[in-house]
Amino acid sequence: MYKNVSIRYALDWTTVFFYVVLVVMGWISIYGASYNFDQASIFDFSQRAGKQFIWIITAFAIGGALLLIDSKMYNIFAYFIYAGTILLLIITIFVAHDIKGSRSWLVLGPISFQPEEIAKMATALALAKFMSSYNYKLKNWKDLLPLSFIIFGPALIIVLQNETGGALVFLAFLLVLYREGMNGIVLLIGSFAVLLFITIIKLSIIPIQVDRGTLGMILGMSFILFVEIGYAIFFGKNQKEALILLAGTFVIGLVSYFINIGFYLNYNYVAIFTVLASCIYWIVIEIFKRYKRYWMLALFSFSSVLFCFSADYLFEKVLEPHQQVRIRVLLNMENAPLGAGYNVNQSKIAIGSGGFWGKGFLNGTQTKLKYVPEQDTDFIFCTVGEEHGFWGSTLVLFFYWLLLMRILRIAERQRDQFSRVYGYCVASIFFFHLTINIGMVLGIMPVIGIPLPFFSYGGSSLWGFTILLFILLRLDAARLERLR
Amino acid sequence: MINDTLQSRRYVIAIIMSAVIVVYILRLFTIQVIDTKYKNGADSNAFLKKTLFPPRGLIYDRNHKLLVYNKPAFDIALIMREIHDLDTISFCKALNIDKQFFINRIEEIKDYKKNPSYSSYTPQLFMTQLGIEEIATIQQSMYKYPGFYIQNRTLREYAFPTAAHVLGNIGEVSQSRIDNDDYYKQGDFAGRDGIEYTYEEQLRGEKGVEILLRDAKGRIKGKYENGKDDIAPKAGQNLTLTLDVQLQQLAEKLLTGKVGSVVAIEPSTGEILAMASSPTFDPSILVGRQRSKNYMQLVNDETKPLINRATQAQYSPGSAFKPLQALVFQQMGGITENTMFACNGPESSPVKCTHHHGSPVSLLNAIEQSCNPYFWNAFKTTIEKNGYGKKNEIFRNTYDDWARRVKLFGLGSKFTDSDIYEQARGYIPTQKFYNRVYRGVTGWRAITIRSLAIGQGEVLVTPLQLANVMAAIANQGYYITPHLNKCDSMLKNIHQCGIDKKYFPIVFEGMSGVFEDGTARASRIEGLDMCGKTGTAENSHGKDHSIFVGFAPRDNPKIAIAVIVENAGFGATYAAPIFSLLVEQYIKGKIARTELRDRITNLVTNSNVQER
Ligand SMILES: [Zn+2]
């Protein structure tokens, strides 16, 4: 029986508390980041902190309003919201003004808005609805196609808006799929593909013996062989084959080395030849000895080689020079003082100079001197690190951890799959933003310009994250309505 | 409903999330607590990125005469927090500014609305583009004013006070340009119009950077790692223009005291030899600190000296349209070179003739004597050649055909493959236009649009387009898009005009006759066979515009010219002598008729034109 439970009782106040704490910490950091010693109030509306205050108040209002909507509406209108958002994203490409190459901002009077912030919420809703629909099975190939459309459709449009960073966020949904039954190997293969791509591109500039191949390609091929050997030992339980493979590789390497003394031989092709030879080897073993699933290993290796080749080809031949630069920046390959390497270096110095206790509120000099770029948006965590030191940064991270764990708990306690999937979506998106943003500031992730939830300056992202979270809180509150 | 076999995955996800946060906390601990590199280094490890501005590319004329080069200039920058114990009065004195200016400027810098990137820690521009003489005094006493710095830059300098419209000028970049191009920062300078704008990316070069170390108070402590990561600025590429500076200067001189323009093109290449617009100004007045004051003066001048009349002003071509008409009529089969029409002189109807000559008139004489009734009859015969048809459809199609052929000469639209930034489109009326104006497809006939026959009415052309038509006729049927950058790639823009070669001799003959027994007899040059055509464009705002177009020599033309002098009356009196003098200068290399030159130079048709 449904019963109307007052939202005041049903609301998960713990989450709201974490949310408010993070938002307020962010607001104070923005004030610190743009503080100049000769300006006055945190409420000065011509300043960023003052403006952020307006965003925060409006975000609270939006959050409150979302709680008043009947929870069933989100399920019923999920596809409509999704379709509307897709339309909005497409319109944005044509309507938006070109801001440094990206066409992702809609300007309505005094308000600038990035529809991609809404797109995350809409995609989460659509995903939740689709996966909770009757008869849905993740293992079904037929169901996988609409699923990837739901996730990567908006991502593709956002790439067309030239906001690659914003599009990458959609990878976070893979974590949701994993929770809902996707084979864990997909995550492993995905990670391996990223590793291969970074290796190939990043190390392709390091030549071997001047012009006889590149370190990237050879290392990439070695990774594949490494996986093969590991598979043979741990899954195939056959160390003999692993040994043969190792010896074969060694012999081919040695022979090609000697050939290269007298003739010209590109080691890239030697490496590729070695992997392809190993594929043939696995297939031969599969056919004659019927070992388990060696054909899969062969297939994996072969596609990996293909992947390496296309990655290299795509990068060198298809991409325009400015796109290549963008990827190189992503991979921290541009270490010019004006490039991304400089920014990260500056942000590390700013954080490092904070020490254990920090320099104190409003006393950070590195961020004030505007050495750190985008100090109140993407690099806001620098200010925390510099002014509040290790303890302050850890506190912020601790609150993020509390929020994430709380959301996971909320997701798991849902009775219907729709709410649970949505809950995981929210957690995954926050987690992705957090990982990329703070990782970038700490210099262990590539420079991808995505905001830190609740911290970064800007109405668009704050509203987006608030909407994402409060829809979950509304769904969660409805859980009690059904119980009684 | 919950699938139990997957329950354990919640822990995997929680562990992944927790692990990342633990790794980040460990990383923070390393950077902030263990590693002293950052802690100790921070104070002295603050960089100041100082932009090194590249010298802009130089600009030459077609004979490698230097037109535009650079001279050093200086900006005064300040860092608000470092200013202390400032002796404002002596500072102002050294810079030759008054105290109020100083106070206002400081207020402006501190105003977040005007200067959103303000920080009291970073350099802010106090004054820009000072000349070497302006900073001479303060340079020696700079140490007395802590917090103020001198930054090097370059300014444009012009070898000749000429071609202001062609060259364009340089100004501070607008916010929208900063948003659209990462290269620019607040306070940068870039080409604003003319060649400086079109070839901005080529001319500007690449900025360099010098990385300096500063302490926590912002004091500069020297270069970072001995300049290991510094980038030297890359100078802009030089540019060679198609202009002949001598011809350009003569053209501007001849236009003194008049409102009008001259465009001269080398027909075989489409290269613009001269492009003058009057009133004009010395380009050097838009350089440096006096720029904004002078710019406002130019904007407010009633004679509109900032407009490049050669490419932006639109006129009815009048009789200058006739050679082109003669070619199109023949090509469309409306007339042949032997077609004769009657002319009753000033009594002709519906189009009057302004001349007295025998009747009937041949095509040759009609061009020579500029006979309006002939061209009206020829126009009518041509566009009525297939009759009118149901709902005038056949007639309207024939009209379309005529308009299309006229447009093939580059009329009615901009030269999109040209490097001229400011262009007007001109206008060749469309069938649609007449359908609308005369309320319906049957509302107009040949007689309704008779003024088109003689280049009056709705047809509009720019002087550049007119000169290009002459180049196309000189080439006997094709033109290369007129352009300003002397380079091979521009020569590929060849456009055919769709006129058979056999129709040209009669037009050449007629245009040559203009100088022998026609309207421009007085502008003959001894020993040089020229082709030309006078035009007088009716103008609702006063006296007619005087127009002359033509090319020379008749065989192997080297130069095609269009001259327009606004409100000067009959074409032969003003425009034709200017044409003749320009041809003499270009073909013979010098002016023998100095008396004529001086007389034309001193003629004033518009007393509002000021010399700048
Ligand atoms: Zn006549």
Side-chain angles (χ1 to χ4, degrees):
Chain A
M1 281 294 107
Y2 291 123
K3 188 187 169 191
N4 253 343
V5 179
S6 164
I7 190 81
R8 232 184 298 161
Y9 291 108
L11 186 62
D12 190 77
W13 284 102
T14 318
T15 312
V16 177
F17 171 70
F18 295 152
Y19 164 76
V20 173
V21 166
L22 285 170
V23 166
V24 171
M25 282 182 174
W27 182 36
I28 292 169
S29 307
I30 289 168
Y31 182 58
S34 47
Y35 185 74
N36 256 314
F37 288 93
D38 34 34
Q39 97 196 36
S41 160
I42 194 168
F43 293 106
D44 181 350
F45 293 129
S46 68
Q47 296 300 300
R48 289 219 148 165
K51 283 184 189 158
Q52 182 74 359
F53 180 70
I54 301 175
W55 301 132
I56 290 172
I57 296 301
T58 43
F60 286 175
I62 290 172
L66 288 172
L67 293 178
L68 298 177
I69 297 172
D70 189 337
S71 69
K72 289 189 283 297
M73 292 300 164
Y74 295 116
N75 193 332
I76 293 168
F77 288 109
Y79 289 152
F80 292 100
I81 296 172
Y82 181 76
T85 309
I86 293 272
L87 202 66
L88 192 65
L89 283 174
I90 293 172
I91 290 171
T92 307
I93 298 181
F94 298 102
V95 181
H97 287 277
D98 200 310
I99 298 177
K100 304 222 163 168
S102 126
R103 295 179 169 276
S104 64
W105 287 90
L106 275 186
V107 181
L108 298 166
I111 299 172
S112 297
F113 189 78
Q114 230 177 347
E116 68 173 67
E117 298 296 346
I118 291 281
K120 291 169 213 164
M121 176 272 293
T123 308
L125 282 177
L127 198 64
K129 172 131 183 166
F130 185 74
M131 293 180 74
S132 62
S133 58
Y134 183 66
N135 254 347
Y136 173 77
K137 284 210 175 55
L138 194 54
K139 295 240 162 83
N140 242 342
W141 286 104
K142 245 198 278 172
D143 289 338
L144 218 54
L145 205 67
L147 196 68
S148 42
F149 173 79
I150 289 175
I151 297 177
F152 296 112
L156 194 73
I157 303 171
I158 292 170
V159 169
L160 292 179
Q161 293 176 352
N162 246 333
E163 277 288 321
T164 326
L168 284 175
V169 175
F170 286 78
L171 287 176
F173 290 114
L174 287 179
L175 217 52
V176 182
L177 299 189
Y178 171 72
R179 170 62 186 87
E180 296 301 314
M182 182 183 70
N183 199 329
I185 284 183
V186 176
L187 285 186
L188 286 178
I189 289 182
S191 317
F192 187 69
V194 172
L195 179 75
L196 270 188
F197 186 81
I198 293 176
T199 313
I200 298 276
I201 303 301
K202 188 164 181 169
L203 300 180
S204 67
I205 40 171
I206 302 175
I208 289 184
Q209 289 184 5
V210 188
D211 59 347
R212 307 200 170 170
T214 61
L215 188 61
M217 189 58 92
I218 290 166
L219 218 59
M221 293 303 134
S222 313
F223 283 150
I224 300 172
L225 288 171
F226 192 69
V227 171
E228 286 181 8
I229 291 168
Y231 186 93
I233 293 173
F234 294 107
F235 295 94
K237 302 252 184 276
N238 203 324
Q239 292 172 13
K240 196 180 98 194
E241 264 123 38
L243 216 64
I244 290 173
L245 190 73
L246 205 61
T249 310
F250 187 69
V251 168
I252 293 177
L254 211 62
V255 168
S256 60
Y257 176 75
F258 282 116
I259 291 177
N260 227 336
I261 291 172
F263 302 91
Y264 175 88
L265 192 63
N266 193 322
Y267 283 116
N268 280 6
Y269 297 114
V270 174
I272 292 164
F273 169 78
T274 315
V275 175
L276 290 180
S278 74
C279 291
I280 296 167
Y281 175 69
W282 296 123
I283 290 172
V284 168
I285 292 179
E286 166 86 27
I287 292 169
F288 288 99
K289 298 193 177 168
R290 302 221 158 266
Y291 277 140
K292 46 178 160 182
R293 295 202 178 162
Y294 271 6
W295 66 268
M296 272 177 67
L297 191 58
L299 186 67
F300 162 79
S301 309
F302 186 69
S303 2
S304 297
V305 171
L306 225 57
F307 175 78
C308 291
F309 245 113
S310 51
D312 206 31
Y313 181 82
L314 194 84
F315 191 77
E316 298 286 343
K317 301 276 155 52
V318 181
L319 291 185
E320 303 279 326
H322 70 271
Q323 290 168 320
Q324 290 186 16
V325 167
R326 199 166 280 182
I327 290 182
R328 285 209 193 91
V329 168
L330 280 181
L331 298 179
N332 275 342
M333 286 162 72
E334 299 276 296
N335 269 327
L338 287 168
Y342 170 86
N343 295 347
V344 170
N345 202 12
Q346 286 302 312
S347 92
K348 276 195 288 190
I349 289 172
I351 292 176
S353 68
F356 192 89
W357 295 108
K359 296 177 183 169
F361 183 47
L362 302 183
N363 282 333
T365 49
Q366 299 289 306
T367 44
K368 302 283 177 313
L369 284 163
K370 311 219 168 184
Y371 293 137
V372 177
E374 316 197 27
Q375 50 195 329
D376 46 10
T377 54
D378 294 344
F379 281 83
I380 186 72
F381 196 69
C382 281
T383 311
V384 182
E386 189 183 8
E387 297 195 341
H388 304 288
F390 176 70
W391 80 268
S393 325
T394 306
L395 189 72
V396 169
L397 281 175
F398 181 64
F399 268 101
Y400 274 117
W401 181 74
L402 286 177
L403 180 71
L404 285 175
M405 292 305 117
R406 188 74 195 171
I407 295 173
L408 288 189
R409 200 174 144 200
I410 289 174
E412 285 297 344
R413 76 182 179 201
Q414 299 307 309
R415 296 281 145 173
D416 62 322
Q417 203 184 2
F418 176 81
S419 306
R420 187 184 67 203
V421 172
Y422 184 78
Y424 268 97
C425 286
V426 175
S428 305
I429 290 168
F430 286 167
F431 173 64
F432 193 86
H433 273 269
L434 183 78
T435 310
I436 297 293
N437 183 288
I438 296 185
M440 162 183 85
V441 172
L442 294 178
I444 43 184
M445 281 280 168
V447 176
I448 299 173
I450 59 175
L452 185 60
F454 313 125
F455 256 72
S456 291
Y457 169 79
S460 212
S461 67
L462 180 60
W463 288 359
F465 291 124
T466 304
I467 291 170
L468 207 55
L469 184 64
F470 275 75
I471 290 179
L472 176 67
L473 291 178
R474 183 67 195 93
L475 293 173
D476 176 58
R479 169 185 56 102
L480 293 175
E481 291 171 12
R482 299 201 187 159
L483 264 179
R484 301 198 178 176
Chain B
M1 272 169 95
I2 302 271
N3 190 342
D4 269 326
T5 57
L6 297 172
Q7 278 283 23
S8 61
R9 289 196 172 183
R10 66 156 94 165
Y11 301 113
V12 177
I13 291 174
I15 287 168
I16 292 176
M17 290 183 178
S18 309
V20 166
I21 288 184
V22 168
V23 166
Y24 284 4
I25 289 175
L26 288 176
R27 171 79 175 172
L28 276 170
F29 193 71
T30 330
I31 295 182
Q32 296 187 303
V33 182
I34 297 177
D35 203 332
T36 50
K37 178 172 82 186
Y38 297 110
K39 228 186 327 187
N40 299 337
D43 284 346
S44 60
N45 212 356
F47 299 135
L48 173 69
K49 282 188 291 180
K50 195 174 161 194
T51 307
L52 304 174
F53 292 98
R56 218 172 150 80
L58 308 178
I59 302 179
Y60 295 90
D61 94 331
R62 67 187 292 113
N63 301 318
H64 299 288
K65 275 197 191 131
L66 184 60
L67 298 180
V68 187
Y69 54 100
N70 303 304
K71 65 176 174 193
F74 304 90
D75 294 346
I76 305 264
L78 57 81
I79 296 177
M80 212 58 94
R81 282 189 65 80
E82 294 175 17
I83 301 175
H84 54 84
D85 306 326
L86 179 67
D87 181 352
T88 317
I89 293 172
S90 89
F91 180 77
C92 290
K93 214 176 201 172
L95 263 178
N96 199 16
I97 53 175
D98 59 39
K99 202 176 165 193
Q100 197 52 47
F101 175 87
F102 177 85
I103 294 166
N104 292 344
R105 192 66 200 110
I106 296 287
E107 285 301 308
E108 265 172 42
I109 292 171
K110 279 187 175 172
D111 187 343
Y112 282 93
K113 284 184 195 86
K114 286 187 186 151
N115 185 15
S117 60
Y118 173 68
S119 160
S120 59
Y121 285 91
T122 56
Q124 306 288 320
L125 287 177
F126 177 70
M127 283 173 87
T128 59
Q129 304 197 6
L130 301 175
I132 198 155
E133 30 335 295
E134 286 168 297
I135 63 143
T137 331
I138 200 165
Q139 205 166 21
Q140 292 132 26
S141 53
M142 211 60 195
Y143 66 92
K144 286 193 218 158
Y145 313 112
F148 285 90
Y149 300 90
I150 292 177
Q151 248 175 37
N152 295 23
R153 240 186 226 280
T154 60
L155 282 184
R156 277 311 209 194
E157 187 139 62
Y158 298 87
F160 304 92
T162 190
H165 296 104
V166 173
L167 297 171
N169 55 77
I170 292 170
E172 201 168 327
V173 287
S174 62
Q175 188 58 44
S176 70
R177 207 154 168 194
I178 296 172
D179 290 341
N180 286 323
D181 191 337
D182 278 335
Y183 181 83
Y184 299 112
K185 297 267 176 318
Q186 197 89 39
D188 279 0
F189 287 78
R192 284 277 280 262
D193 29 44
I195 281 298
E196 297 273 21
Y197 178 85
T198 320
Y199 291 104
E200 165 69 10
E201 287 191 16
Q202 208 174 315
L203 288 167
R204 73 186 180 191
E206 272 173 51
K207 281 186 228 168
V209 71
E210 188 178 31
I211 300 171
L212 302 170
L213 284 173
R214 305 170 57 179
D215 62 17
K217 294 211 174 79
R219 283 176 301 222
I220 289 164
K221 290 284 169 200
K223 283 189 161 204
Y224 170 66
E225 294 195 8
N226 282 326
K228 171 174 81 80
D229 289 328
D230 289 2
I231 298 174
K234 219 187 256 168
Q237 291 171 45
N238 296 344
L239 204 61
T240 303
L241 297 187
T242 59
L243 290 189
D244 178 323
V245 72
Q246 262 185 307
L247 194 66
Q248 177 74 25
Q249 279 186 298
L250 176 64
E252 286 180 17
K253 190 171 176 188
L254 293 172
L255 286 173
T256 326
K258 308 161 193 74
V259 175
S261 55
V262 165
V263 177
I265 298 175
E266 182 176 70
S268 58
T269 56
E271 291 173 358
I272 296 175
L273 301 169
M275 188 153 89
S277 170
S278 177
T280 183
F281 53 91
D282 180 348
S284 62
I285 67 172
L286 290 186
V287 172
R289 270 211 297 152
Q290 84 278 33
R291 177 191 156 85
S292 53
K293 187 190 82 200
N294 287 336
Y295 192 81
M296 282 324 292
Q297 266 182 22
L298 292 175
V299 167
N300 294 327
D301 189 330
E302 268 177 41
T303 58
K304 303 243 172 292
L306 281 172
I307 291 180
N308 183 1
R309 289 179 159 77
T311 59
Q312 289 175 300
Q314 308 186 93
Y315 307 92
S316 291
S319 301
F321 204 42
K322 284 173 181 162
L324 164 60
Q325 289 280 52
L327 291 167
V328 174
F329 295 161
Q330 290 184 77
Q331 181 72 35
M332 286 176 74
I335 57 168
T336 69
E337 55 174 283
N338 301 318
T339 307
M340 312 271 269
F341 289 108
C343 171
N344 287 332
E347 274 85 55
S348 307
S349 170
V351 179
K352 291 190 193 76
C353 190
T354 47
H355 305 270
H356 296 274
H357 45 80
S359 176
V361 193
S362 66
L363 176 57
L364 181 68
N365 285 330
I367 298 173
E368 221 174 75
Q369 307 291 333
S370 202
C371 179
N372 286 345
Y374 184 97
F375 275 91
W376 150 240
N377 281 311
F379 183 56
K380 178 176 151 70
T381 317
T382 305
I383 58 174
E384 284 183 345
K385 67 176 176 171
N386 299 325
Y388 276 83
K390 205 175 144 200
K391 283 192 172 172
N392 289 0
E393 197 184 341
I394 296 174
F395 164 72
R396 284 184 284 116
N397 287 342
T398 318
Y399 174 79
D400 273 346
D401 189 33
W402 173 83
R404 183 185 62 83
R405 288 171 185 279
V406 169
K407 283 182 172 180
L408 283 179
F409 281 82
L411 301 183
S413 58
K414 294 181 182 177
F415 295 104
T416 49
D417 47 1
S418 175
D419 50 7
I420 299 167
Y421 168 46
E422 304 92 348
Q423 288 184 53
R425 297 179 51 201
Y427 191 61
I428 300 298
T430 56
Q431 190 205 119
K432 248 200 205 143
F433 170 80
Y434 285 128
N435 288 344
R436 201 178 63 235
V437 169
Y438 297 111
R439 289 153 205 272
V441 289
T442 55
W444 55 289
R445 302 168 68 84
I447 184 102
T448 333
I449 56 171
R450 59 185 175 275
S451 48
L452 277 192
I454 54 169
Q456 304 285 9
E458 293 84 2
V459 56
L460 290 174
V461 299
T462 67
L464 175 67
Q465 288 173 335
L466 265 187
N468 183 58
V469 168
M470 281 305 121
I473 293 176
N475 287 339
Q476 302 192 36
Y478 73 92
Y479 68 90
I480 293 166
T481 304
H483 57 273
L484 289 163
N485 182 7
K486 196 160 164 42
C487 66
D488 292 342
S489 64
M490 283 291 183
L491 302 181
K492 290 180 197 133
N493 302 326
I494 300 170
H495 300 267
Q496 296 295 337
C497 302
I499 306 283
D500 296 342
K501 271 220 157 74
K502 62 181 175 200
Y503 299 124
F504 283 93
I506 182 85
V507 174
F508 276 49
E509 188 65 36
M511 290 177 73
S512 169
V514 168
F515 286 98
E516 301 309 319
D517 355 76
T519 47
R521 279 179 300 259
S523 297
R524 250 189 340 240
I525 297 175
E526 224 41 66
L528 186 63
D529 200 355
M530 302 189 287
C531 291
K533 185 77 199 73
T534 47
T536 308
E538 282 172 11
N539 167 33
S540 46
H541 307 295
K543 247 173 127 183
D544 293 347
H545 300 322
S546 170
I547 300 179
F548 196 91
V549 296
F551 54 88
R554 180 174 162 178
D555 303 314
N556 276 324
K558 294 265 184 302
I559 183 168
I561 305 179
V563 181
I564 294 188
V565 183
E566 289 186 16
N567 311 114
F570 188 52
T573 17
Y574 286 88
I578 294 179
F579 171 88
S580 175
L581 286 164
L582 289 170
V583 170
E584 186 183 357
Q585 166 70 40
Y586 189 69
I587 305 272
K588 308 222 154 152
K590 63 175 199 301
I591 302 275
R593 297 172 291 169
T594 50
E595 201 182 303
L596 177 66
R597 181 190 65 197
D598 298 341
R599 188 169 63 80
I600 299 291
T601 308
N602 295 329
L603 276 174
V604 173
T605 64
N606 187 326
S607 53
N608 291 329
V609 174
Q610 295 174 33
E611 252 192 85
R612 283 199 167 89

